[in-house]
Amino acid sequence: MNIVASGSAAIARAAGRASRAMGRGGGTSVPGVVLLRINPRAVDTIADRLGGGSILVSATNGKTTTTRMLGGALRADGAEVITNAAGANLLSGVAAALVGARPARPDTACGLFECDEAALPAVMARVHPRAIVLMNLFRDQLDRHGELEAIAERWQAMLLAPGALPRLVLAADDPAIAALGDGRECLWFGLDDPAVATGALPHAADSTRCRACGTPLTYDHVWFGHLGDWRCPACGSSRPPLDVAVIDAGLRGATGSDPLIRTPDGEVILHLTVPGLHNVLNAAAALAGALAMGIRADVAAAAISQVPAAFGRAEHLVVDGTDLVLLLAKNPAGANENVRTLLLDPGDHHILVALNDRIADGRDVSWIWDVDWEPLLPRVSSVTVTGERAHDLALRFRYGGLDPDHLHVIPDHRAALASAIAAVPPGGCLEVLPTYTAMHDIRADLVARGAASEFWVEG
Amino acid sequence: MSADVRLCHLYPDEMNIYADRGNIAVFQRRLEWRGLRLEVRGVGPGETIDPSAYDLIYMGGGQDRDQAVVAHDLAGSKGDAIISAVEDGVALLAVCGGYQLTGHGYTGVDGSRMPGIGLFDADTIAGDTRLIGDVLINATLDGQTREVAGFENHAGRTELGAGATPLGAVLAGHGNSGVSGGEGCTRLRAIGTYLHGPLLPRNPWLADHILGWALEHRTGSATELKALDDTMEIAAHAVAVGRAHGDRRERLMGRRG
């Protein structure tokens, strides 16, 4: 590292320590903000020192889980991995991770960064990755990003920018992502298991028109959201052939799944402890990313199987003897997959849904109406709604047809958690579906009750 | 049993970006709770509209690509059928993109023009920033004025013609253009507005007013709607009003550190 970059990095690290000492959250992005202010080129310098190169992961949904799985694979292959903390996924978070890194063997260390969709072009311009994994674009927090078309256009422009193109690892099932690979060398991943198809596009699916000619797409199979085996009846464009294909999702209810995945290295089987079809697809993305980084499929498969749930993503906890599972639900596509995962469990359900409307959640709460809660409602014994917009959730369930006797409106999250836990009979499980900041609020309550560890310690 | 209110849902697949189905659910349940039945028929691109077959027309907002498809489809006889329905007393609610396309049209940042059907004397030109946030208006319908709370997120700046009537006066937020002080547009039993969130769940008064119009069209005489227990709706309305009045800043500042 040159002297200037090294000096800038030291100042930035000190700022991070100061921030933590003042109790400002985890302080995870602060050194990055400082570094970008005093010497933005230092980010390039530090990133370019990583001998193993870097890989970026972006998507609306699943990027945190996929990044963790990919981290497991890279470590199993013997690399020292420099990675950003969950949620610190803007350029400042990536810069902070690079500043904080003191790799023992820089010649073989590699960077692995989860990137916010809007921040991806800026991160790519500074980090010069070897590969990028792009998984899906769903409508999310429209007031923060603008509509998803704008993101798709910025990603396209990013790939047209001068400089070496990284290895592209793309979701073939998402028409908007597939369009990014047109005419480019890609590693395509996706699902090929008709047994898990839903039969029809859900309400309010995105990206269902042909990117080339505008005609509505037809789907031979829909997996979830607008992801599926699609083709255009007019111009003939269709889902690209899969290089990494889930040929049997192997869903095992709420406890996990055992997907069988075909790769250019042959078939591998994974044993995931995170449930649901979306996590099977996350694992396929991580496996494809690992292959792009030169890791053997069997090594990656074994490592991905060992990765526990990410912070708040199907995270299991025990609170005063009651089982609790945290399922982050920050947008319609993610919430729909959570609902579908809950339905895999045949028993009665007790759910706590928490809705905040701060910047990180999206200030517009209208998306709760695009979630298909209805199939779950006949099977819930109690629904507790909480958070700053608890009353809007209450209306969502009221107009969705929930029996009012089952609905409890408790805006204060601490009181709501206590009440929801009390409503669960012995041996039952409370399923908690919070938005991003609501998850932090509830997790803070769980930490206070000794049921969970603090977030920045976990990283 | 024939339906008590027949709803034409325009472009349910293309124009649904702001949780428009919440508005439809409110129409359906608030009739059902009163022993009345709503029939919903979706009408998509390439399908025709019989103006005499409906009591209520709904159109939501879409992404730019979809909105362009819809603008093209509405041009000509379909747009004329909507105008003729409204002139015959059918109620209409058009939100966001639906509002823009029921006006004269929309000019994008790049100068491209999406034609509208001209039901409302309103024209929209894209601005270079989006007008986003909570919004509160004093809405006036048939001489009654009530506060209506919602969320807005639009790049378009809509200007009303000299004879056009806004839905309401902006108390907080941006409204049609951010500068005119007006929000939305009304004509006969038609309402165009930027307010979503969705609009109707936390503004039950407005939902019932529109349903009253639709029932009157169906039966030929004014119908008294039975009162419902709106405790939850009123609580959610109060939160939305608080947001629009800007308690957000204090709330966020108070939580730090």
Side-chain angles (χ1 to χ4, degrees):
Chain A
M1 193 182 310
N2 68 43
I3 300 245
V4 176
S6 161
S8 309
I11 294 168
R13 276 193 295 272
R17 284 192 298 274
S19 170
R20 268 194 297 279
M22 288 189 291
R24 304 236 172 203
T28 42
S29 290
V30 171
V33 172
V34 171
L35 182 65
L36 291 168
R37 187 78 47 85
I38 59 179
N39 184 7
R41 296 278 314 160
V43 175
D44 306 49
T45 309
I46 302 171
D48 290 342
R49 276 180 73 233
L50 300 173
S54 292
I55 181 165
L56 309 183
V57 178
S58 195
T60 311
N61 286 340
K63 53 188 176 286
T64 299
T65 297
T66 301
T67 301
R68 285 176 66 101
M69 290 173 166
L70 190 46
L74 290 164
R75 286 185 195 97
D77 193 50
E80 188 175 349
V81 180
I82 313 302
T83 191
N84 49 342
N89 60 12
L90 304 177
L91 180 58
S92 55
V94 174
L98 286 164
V99 167
R102 302 268 183 72
R105 296 190 46 202
D107 54 323
T108 57
C110 68
L112 164 64
F113 305 110
E114 166 196 327
C115 299
D116 173 87
E117 307 91 276
L120 178 67
V123 174
M124 177 147 145
R126 293 235 167 268
V127 170
H128 321 126
R130 235 174 99 189
I132 58 174
V133 182
L134 303 179
M135 301 164 60
N136 54 63
L137 282 175
F138 292 107
R139 68 182 71 174
D140 180 30
Q141 305 181 23
L142 296 169
D143 51 321
R144 184 164 65 105
H145 285 325
E147 295 167 16
L148 66 86
E149 289 297 331
I151 297 286
E153 280 168 25
R154 287 169 70 180
W155 284 10
Q156 190 67 257
M158 164 186 91
L159 297 180
L160 291 169
L165 200 62
R167 188 81 200 274
L168 298 177
V169 182
L170 302 184
D173 294 321
D174 185 330
I177 301 293
L180 299 169
D182 263 354
R184 298 186 171 114
E185 175 75 21
C186 302
L187 190 66
W188 296 104
F189 66 90
L191 285 173
D192 233 344
D193 180 3
V196 297
T198 59
L201 285 170
H203 171 77
D206 308 305
S207 301
T208 53
R209 283 178 183 276
C210 177
R211 314 300 292 185
C213 73
T215 306
L217 297 171
T218 53
Y219 280 76
D220 291 339
H221 304 290
V222 176
W223 314 127
F224 56 86
H226 59 277
L227 271 53
D229 189 356
W230 54 272
R231 63 192 155 81
C232 174
C235 76
S237 75
S238 64
R239 183 178 76 153
L242 302 179
D243 301 302
V244 174
V246 178
I247 50 182
D248 177 358
L251 299 177
R252 272 194 277 117
T255 59
S257 47
D258 304 307
L260 178 64
I261 303 183
R262 192 188 66 231
T263 79
D265 287 0
E267 290 179 2
V268 289
I269 190 153
L270 282 68
H271 305 286
L272 306 176
T273 56
V274 286
L277 190 59
H278 56 300
N279 280 317
V280 170
L281 200 48
N282 291 339
L287 182 59
L291 293 173
M293 294 295 276
I295 301 171
R296 274 185 15 219
D298 57 339
V299 172
I304 289 167
S305 298
Q306 299 296 316
V307 173
F311 175 65
R313 279 79 168 178
E315 189 182 11
H316 288 264
L317 303 162
V318 178
V319 189
D320 302 339
T322 300
D323 284 338
L324 182 149
V325 57
L326 273 172
L327 299 154
L328 178 68
K330 57 180 183 165
N331 53 32
N336 274 332
E337 273 317 289
N338 284 334
V339 168
R340 199 166 152 197
T341 302
L342 295 183
L343 287 169
L344 294 170
D345 190 338
D348 272 357
H349 290 268
H350 299 269
I351 65 173
L352 171 64
V353 188
L355 177 65
N356 283 348
D357 63 351
R358 296 177 218 165
I359 302 287
D361 303 296
R363 294 171 51 198
D364 179 1
V365 297
S366 62
W367 64 270
I368 59 173
W369 292 83
D370 283 329
V371 179
D372 293 314
W373 301 98
E374 280 75 5
L376 188 61
L377 300 186
R379 299 202 2 214
V380 291
S381 303
S382 71
V383 177
T384 307
V385 293
T386 189
E388 291 152 0
R389 303 307 292 259
H391 295 293
D392 287 88
L393 275 174
L395 290 181
R396 173 66 186 92
F397 288 112
R398 168 169 155 84
Y399 283 95
L402 180 69
D403 179 344
D405 292 344
H406 293 170
L407 179 61
H408 312 284
V409 188
I410 308 176
D412 177 77
H413 56 86
R414 207 164 286 125
L417 181 64
S419 164
I421 289 171
V424 179
C429 176
L430 178 66
E431 294 153 335
V432 184
L433 296 98
T435 56
Y436 193 77
T437 70
M439 183 183 74
H440 283 257
D441 288 347
I442 288 172
R443 228 171 165 284
D445 299 340
L446 293 168
V447 169
R449 298 175 73 144
S453 64
E454 285 188 64
F455 119 84
W456 60 269
V457 175
E458 186 209 81
Chain B
M1 190 188 83
S2 70
D4 298 290
V5 171
R6 301 160 302 169
L7 170 70
C8 170
H9 186 182
L10 283 170
Y11 309 106
D13 294 333
E14 287 78 14
M15 304 291 272
N16 60 21
I17 189 171
Y18 293 122
D20 297 283
R21 80 159 156 182
N23 290 328
I24 308 283
V26 168
F27 286 138
Q28 189 228 319
R29 294 285 182 195
R30 294 186 76 81
L31 286 172
E32 188 184 297
W33 290 332
R34 292 164 167 131
L36 301 170
R37 197 169 76 84
L38 179 74
E39 177 184 279
V40 182
R41 192 175 304 167
V43 173
E47 294 171 340
T48 55
I49 296 175
D50 172 0
S52 67
Y54 302 104
D55 310 299
L56 175 57
I57 297 172
Y58 182 83
M59 181 163 154
Q63 309 220 24
D64 289 352
R65 283 166 65 99
D66 288 329
Q67 214 153 297
V69 169
V70 165
H72 178 76
D73 188 67
L74 279 172
S77 64
K78 204 154 168 179
D80 294 343
I82 294 168
I83 291 173
S84 130
V86 170
E87 287 176 347
D88 285 344
V90 170
L92 176 143
L93 177 61
V95 177
C96 211
Y99 170 37
Q100 293 167 345
L101 295 183
T102 42
H104 296 302
Y106 182 90
T107 304
V109 194
D110 58 358
S112 63
R113 178 76 178 168
M114 263 183 232
I117 67 174
L119 168 68
F120 297 116
D121 185 10
D123 193 61
T124 305
I125 297 174
D128 47 14
T129 54
R130 293 188 79 85
L131 304 178
I132 300 175
D134 295 284
V135 52
L136 184 66
I137 67 172
N138 248 340
T140 303
L141 294 173
D142 298 332
Q144 299 174 43
T145 299
R146 297 280 285 267
E147 283 189 359
V148 171
F151 196 92
E152 62 184 328
N153 181 354
H154 53 105
R157 270 58 165 179
T158 301
E159 296 293 342
L160 302 191
T165 310
L167 169 63
V170 175
L171 302 174
H174 302 289
N176 279 337
S177 64
V179 292
S180 70
E183 203 293 317
C185 192
T186 59
R187 182 186 157 204
L188 300 168
R189 290 172 178 158
I191 296 173
T193 178
Y194 277 116
L195 269 61
H196 63 91
L199 172 64
L200 297 179
R202 46 177 111 115
N203 295 291
W205 162 77
L206 182 60
D208 284 352
H209 203 98
I210 296 168
L211 286 174
W213 281 343
L215 285 163
E216 193 171 337
H217 177 263
R218 181 69 164 141
T219 62
S221 59
T223 312
E224 188 74 21
L225 280 167
K226 204 168 64 184
L228 299 172
D229 177 358
D230 286 335
T231 313
M232 282 186 193
E233 286 82 350
I234 291 163
H237 180 87
V239 173
V241 169
R243 287 293 187 277
H245 281 311
D247 68 341
R248 162 170 306 279
R249 177 173 289 276
E250 287 170 36
R251 192 169 52 93
L252 292 176
M253 303 281 275
R255 291 239 165 148
R256 298 194 74 156

